[in-house]
Amino acid sequence: MSSSFTSSTLTSSTSTFRAGALCGLLSGLLIALPALVEAFTGETSATSVPLALSSAFALPLLTALHRRQGPAGGRLAEVAHTVNLVGLGLFGGAAFASNLVLFYFDDDVIDETLTGPTIPALIGSAAVFAVGCALFGAAMIRARVLPRVPSWGYAVVLPLFAFLTSLPDSLLTSALHVLVGVILMWLSAALWRTAGGIEHASAPNQVSV
């Protein structure tokens, strides 16, 4: 029974890592590719749609990264994972509204709409997301389980991304989107390799006579 339980656990981990890796890869592509196009064309309805959806696919990646670290992440990783999940949900909702709703409004209508608690709520969402990314990136750096370069990128670049994306479209904002996409895809590739390693380790040994 112990062997069966271990095999089931490894299979579950493999599935989680692969699903997270695929979602993370898609999230990175949905951020990076539209940004490359917008560097030449500016923001369009065709590029706004994938950007609006990208955050949703980052959620499974975040959970898989947390599971990959396991106990090595310690208490910091537990807190960081929770804060990052909440921040990603808030920031993703704001990005969805911005790219699929506000994008189609005239500037005058937007000025009339963004009143009352709306602006403070948007700033608060970005702040929670930034803090969560900084904490989770720090947890990855401390655990030394995932590659260090994208871990540092997660801790530094994503918090900047939370606030600088509110600036007018420019080569800087496009480059920042591309960099974030690359970081997510790099971490996704690391997860995929982990899934392959687990699958290889759990394969039954063949004995030749």
Side-chain angles (χ1 to χ4, degrees):
M1 176 176 290
S2 177
S3 176
S4 176
F5 176 78
T6 302
S7 176
S8 175
T9 301
L10 290 173
T11 301
S12 176
S13 297
T14 300
S15 299
T16 299
F17 293 158
R18 283 188 170 165
L22 289 174
C23 287
L25 176 63
L26 183 56
S27 178
L29 289 173
L30 290 176
I31 294 173
L33 293 182
L36 285 174
V37 174
E38 289 183 354
F40 300 96
T41 65
E43 189 175 7
T44 66
S45 58
T47 58
S48 293
V49 173
L51 286 171
L53 300 176
S54 61
S55 298
F57 293 100
L59 289 167
L61 172 64
L62 178 59
T63 298
L65 290 173
H66 178 58
R67 287 194 59 180
R68 173 66 186 92
Q69 292 187 142
R75 179 71 174 174
L76 173 62
E78 295 291 341
V79 174
H81 178 237
T82 301
V83 176
N84 206 177
L85 273 179
V86 173
L88 183 56
L90 292 171
F91 188 73
F96 187 91
S98 175
N99 286 284
L100 286 184
V101 180
L102 297 180
F103 175 76
Y104 297 97
F105 288 175
D106 293 331
D107 290 340
D108 293 339
V109 176
I110 293 177
D111 291 338
E112 293 177 1
T113 303
L114 299 181
T115 57
T118 305
I119 294 296
L122 292 175
I123 295 175
S125 298
V128 175
F129 175 70
V131 171
C133 288
L135 289 175
F136 194 75
M140 289 192 289
I141 295 168
R142 180 182 178 184
R144 298 183 179 181
V145 173
L146 295 156
R148 293 184 66 80
V149 173
S151 296
W152 274 100
Y154 199 99
V156 177
V157 177
L158 267 69
L160 292 176
F161 176 74
F163 293 102
L164 295 183
T165 50
S166 62
L167 297 176
D169 292 337
S170 64
L171 289 177
L172 173 62
T173 56
S174 295
L176 192 60
H177 277 78
V178 172
L179 189 55
V180 168
V182 169
I183 290 168
L184 296 182
M185 288 186 283
W186 194 337
L187 290 171
S188 299
L191 267 180
W192 187 268
R193 288 194 298 269
T194 293
I198 291 176
E199 189 173 61
H200 177 75
S202 61
N205 294 325
Q206 297 180 351
V207 178
S208 58
V209 178

